[in-house]
Amino acid sequence: MKSIYRALSGMLAVAAAAGCATVSDADLSRQAADVLRASFKERGQAKLDRLDQDQPQAACSAAPDKKPPVAELERMEKAQQALIRYPADGKLLGDWREGEKIAQSGVGKQFSDNPASPAGGNCYACHQITREEISFGTIGPPLLNYGKLRGNSEAMQRYTYGKIYNPQAFTACSNMPRFGHNSILTEQQIKHLTALLLDPASPVNQ
């Protein structure tokens, strides 16, 4: 991070020396992208492709203080829904016990993670998953009683699988990672997480 700050400081110094010359937003965006690419190096599971934004990411970050118009959000969600790949075998539920391991795993696409090991969900970093947890993030809503409140119908299984696979298909500009769309988790891992949320025996629903 220090290298980023040094680079940004250099850019500001150049701008000041230029006598506050006008710089377009496009130029600033390109300069910021150059700074990021110069500062990040591929290491472990962290690759430079995370710096490449696709269309919905670019649209959502273009104006971080306000979201795109409702009609645009709906168009984005519909386009992302078409990209969800549901399991060919039609089975959406795995083993909730495996899902709990994935959700509680503190690894996944970080520079310190072994690239030969599977990524984890690290779900507790944003959600409360069980009542026993004493530390969890609050960026996302608590998932306690997820299945108990919503049921375990085929439609709910499909929604839950899809939400994990690509949350922007249901909530444009969501902060949640697109675990399946970006190949962070495998199809089987997403099945296990879907079971964790919906299986009545899961600690989520106790």
Side-chain angles (χ1 to χ4, degrees), residues 105-129:
S105 172
V107 300
K109 300 300 181 181
Q110 301 171 98
F111 74 91
S112 56
D113 297 337
N114 185 345
S117 300
N122 204 18
C123 304
Y124 70 89
C126 296
H127 303 276
Q128 182 181 11
I129 304 173

Side-chain angles (χ1 to χ4, degrees), residues 14 41 96 112:
V14 171
K41 306 297 180 184
W96 69 259
S112 56

